[in-house]
Amino acid sequence: MCEVPLLTRVVASSVSVAIRAGDVIRNIVTEGADLKIVHKGVNDLQTQADRSSQQCIVVSLQRQFPKITIIGEEQLGLADAVNESHIVTESDLEVLEKASVLPDELKLVDDEDICIWVDPLDATTEFVQGIFDHVTILVGIAVRGKAVAGVVAQPFYSYTAGPNASVGRIIWAIVGLGLFGAVPERPPPDQRVITATRSRMSPAALRTINACEPTKILQVGGAGHKVLLLIDGKAHAYISASSACSKWDTCAPEAVLHAVGGKLTNINGTSYQYHPGVERKNRSGTLATAYAHEHDWYLERINSAA
């Protein structure tokens, strides 16, 4: 039996870890635990759920792949005790079964080629406000600076569907292999729905969006959630003219979107890089489109409004 490629093993472990992190977050909510909110900055919160989820993801992956660089959003102290019940050692079998069809260019990848970007709880503000369907867990995997694989977990997916509903959804993708866990839907052809931040937008940011002639602006929380709206056919584009996002917000969504024929760049059309030493902040905003061939259309109109 051939050895499973390193990238496949990383993705398989990331899927299992994201599922466990979702359990950790839901348990904190259902148990009514103190969220222990920390204000990191303006509109930038951190809760016990963020910290516990990151510890679950990062420590689990570090133990399995000690030579791979892993960068998480939250800064955890060395004194933070590890909850061993949160640590995952298994790998997702569905991912491992796809090892033989991994794109050739991703089969020969070494530890030092990989950087993992982790947002343990995207849309923390909405989480604190009880808008749970905006929450995602993001594990992005970059190879030589390029986002090539992503895991996006929705721990509260279908949480309002009733007591017998299955809560939670896990989506994963590898560029060149495909998307798993969801079926992409086409957005309404007679509309142009643009998703954007729930936070108050500056006049310049609103002018940028209006230049793209939206029939509707869908304001929601979380970069991961916004990109899933494109995949689920609820929106045509995601536009942010601000520097609110960081690499851990966009690495996983970018890979997932590219795997289904979409495109994510900065607001000027330049691709983001995900090397370990790159600047964490996405200073030039975000433009994501459900279809790559429509990306230039949005860029032209955004440039006209600049």
Side-chain angles (χ1 to χ4, degrees), residues 196-197 200-211 217 239-242:
T197 180
R200 183 177 179 274
M201 285 187 283
S202 69
L206 189 57
R207 187 166 60 250
T208 297
I209 292 173
N210 285 334
I217 300 175
I239 299 175
S240 172
S242 77

Side-chain angles (χ1 to χ4, degrees), residues 11-40:
V11 176
S13 295
S14 297
V15 168
S16 293
V17 166
I19 292 171
R20 182 70 183 103
D23 294 338
V24 170
I25 292 171
R26 280 194 304 271
N27 288 342
I28 288 174
V29 172
T30 57
E31 293 169 2
D34 181 1
L35 292 181
K36 299 178 182 178
I37 299 171
V38 174
H39 292 262
K40 299 189 292 181

Side-chain angles (χ1 to χ4, degrees), residues 36 38 69 163 168 216 229 260 282:
K36 299 178 182 178
V38 174
T69 300
K216 180 180 181 181
L229 290 178
V260 293
N282 290 344

Side-chain angles (χ1 to χ4, degrees), residues 17 55-65 86-88:
V17 166
Q55 185 188 75
C56 166
I57 297 167
V58 172
V59 175
S60 295
L61 292 177
Q62 282 178 336
R63 290 185 181 180
Q64 295 182 56
F65 307 101
H86 294 173
I87 305 306
V88 176

Side-chain angles (χ1 to χ4, degrees), residues 3-14 61 64-68 91 95-96 99 102 106-116 141 143 174:
E3 182 180 357
V4 176
L6 174 61
L7 183 71
T8 301
R9 290 188 281 119
V10 171
V11 176
S13 295
S14 297
L61 292 177
Q64 295 182 56
F65 307 101
K67 296 181 180 179
I68 290 178
S91 300
V95 180
L96 293 177
L102 185 72
L106 297 178
K107 288 179 179 178
L108 298 177
V109 172
D110 297 322
D111 297 84
E112 59 268 22
D113 296 325
I114 297 175
C115 184
I116 301 175
I141 301 155
V143 172
I174 298 175

Side-chain angles (χ1 to χ4, degrees), residues 186-250:
R186 184 176 179 82
D190 57 342
Q191 301 179 41
R192 183 173 293 112
V193 181
I194 294 177
T195 184
T197 180
R198 282 184 69 239
S199 303
R200 183 177 179 274
M201 285 187 283
S202 69
L206 189 57
R207 187 166 60 250
T208 297
I209 292 173
N210 285 334
C212 297
E213 306 170 12
T215 57
K216 180 180 181 181
I217 300 175
L218 190 58
Q219 293 185 260
V220 301
H225 179 52
K226 293 181 184 73
V227 169
L228 288 185
L229 290 178
L230 306 187
I231 293 171
D232 288 336
K234 303 294 178 58
H236 299 73
Y238 157 33
I239 299 175
S240 172
S242 77
S243 59
C245 281
S246 298
K247 299 299 183 296
W248 42 71
D249 295 303
T250 55

